[in-house]
Amino acid sequence: MSRGTDEDWSRLSDIGQTYGATSAVLSALALGGVAVSLLLQARQGRADRIQAIRGFHTDLITMQLDDLPVYLPCWGPLDLPDDTAKRQHIYTNLLVQYAWMGYEIGTIPEPLLRDMLAGMFRGDVARRFWPMARASWAAGTAGTRRGRRFLLVVDEEYARSTPAEPAARRAVSDERPGAVRGPAPVLSYVVLGMAAGVSAGLMWRRRRSARTRENRPGT
């Protein structure tokens, strides 16, 4: 009887240890799930706050567009010729902000972003806008890796859209007095110098040969 009781207690102990290990694993998984849930809630809360701030910023810009003479001076001077150019500048800023928000959350992939920017920078308004606004955008997007990538993409598309200086204008500028010569004239001078050195060497050898023949006996 005692022997059977000992075996039952041993079996119960093994079963208890097995369930204890399973319970520990389940507790750890539950704790991990709670931690992930809290992390997601924190990220969602931060995203909601960012979205609220951006929405408020958009409302301010909309008010500014509705009554430009009243609200634009509150943002500081804008060195543009007339109200139409100022409205275009502000609206272009909204377009870039829309592109940045879509790229940041993933609804606008990089190929679509580049296509949007290439279309914008084909116009004079966007090409005029970006040099004026880049410093502010760089300060606002430098805090994250994706923000820095966005800034790089905009810079690249702006550089591609900038018209190059015509070749005829460069040629005229090179002919002006005091213009800095490029590498082509320098190469020409080197070639001429080498040719002059070879010619001088040949003349010296001819003269030396002639003198040698004159000094030989019987000549």
Side-chain angles (χ1 to χ4, degrees), residues 116-192:
M116 291 174 56
L117 293 171
M120 291 174 59
F121 285 134
R122 278 198 293 266
D124 295 335
V125 174
R127 287 202 301 268
R128 181 183 60 198
F129 163 82
W130 187 241
M132 298 177 63
R134 187 191 182 281
S136 298
W137 274 95
T141 58
T144 62
R145 181 182 62 84
R146 198 163 183 82
R148 292 188 293 271
R149 180 64 184 176
F150 174 81
L151 186 68
L152 177 63
V153 170
V154 181
D155 284 339
E156 289 178 351
E157 295 303 322
Y158 172 76
R160 290 176 183 174
S161 68
T162 304
E165 184 181 4
R169 185 182 301 175
R170 289 197 302 267
V172 171
S173 64
D174 289 342
E175 295 299 327
R176 294 174 182 172
V180 179
R181 298 291 179 177
V186 176
L187 182 60
S188 302
Y189 296 151
V190 173
V191 172
L192 291 175

Side-chain angles (χ1 to χ4, degrees), residues 11-212:
R11 182 178 301 175
L12 291 174
S13 176
D14 294 339
I15 294 173
Q17 291 178 1
T18 302
Y19 280 107
T22 304
S23 177
V25 172
L26 292 176
S27 299
L29 292 176
L31 183 60
V34 171
V36 171
S37 177
L38 292 175
L39 179 61
L40 292 177
Q41 289 179 5
R43 290 183 177 180
Q44 184 62 38
R46 182 176 182 275
D48 292 340
R49 291 193 299 271
I50 293 175
Q51 185 64 29
I53 292 173
R54 288 177 176 173
F56 183 60
H57 179 248
T58 302
D59 292 340
L60 291 175
I61 294 178
T62 303
M63 292 175 59
Q64 182 181 1
L65 286 173
D66 291 340
D67 199 344
L68 201 63
V70 174
Y71 295 112
L72 182 59
C74 300
W75 292 80
L78 188 58
D79 188 15
L80 290 172
D82 50 37
D83 287 349
T84 299
K86 293 175 182 178
R87 292 180 185 277
Q88 291 173 342
H89 181 91
I90 297 170
Y91 183 74
T92 304
N93 186 68
L94 285 176
L95 291 177
V96 177
Q97 185 176 1
Y98 163 73
W100 160 234
M101 291 172 62
Y103 179 74
E104 184 183 23
I105 64 177
T107 58
I108 298 180
E110 185 169 321
L112 179 57
L113 174 64
R114 289 185 178 275
D115 185 69
M116 291 174 56
L117 293 171
M120 291 174 59
F121 285 134
R122 278 198 293 266
D124 295 335
V125 174
R127 287 202 301 268
R128 181 183 60 198
F129 163 82
W130 187 241
M132 298 177 63
R134 187 191 182 281
S136 298
W137 274 95
T141 58
T144 62
R145 181 182 62 84
R146 198 163 183 82
R148 292 188 293 271
R149 180 64 184 176
F150 174 81
L151 186 68
L152 177 63
V153 170
V154 181
D155 284 339
E156 289 178 351
E157 295 303 322
Y158 172 76
R160 290 176 183 174
S161 68
T162 304
E165 184 181 4
R169 185 182 301 175
R170 289 197 302 267
V172 171
S173 64
D174 289 342
E175 295 299 327
R176 294 174 182 172
V180 179
R181 298 291 179 177
V186 176
L187 182 60
S188 302
Y189 296 151
V190 173
V191 172
L192 291 175
M194 293 177 62
V198 172
S199 300
L202 292 175
M203 292 178 62
W204 180 79
R205 290 183 61 182
R206 290 176 182 175
R207 291 181 180 178
R208 183 177 180 183
S209 299
R211 290 178 181 177
T212 303

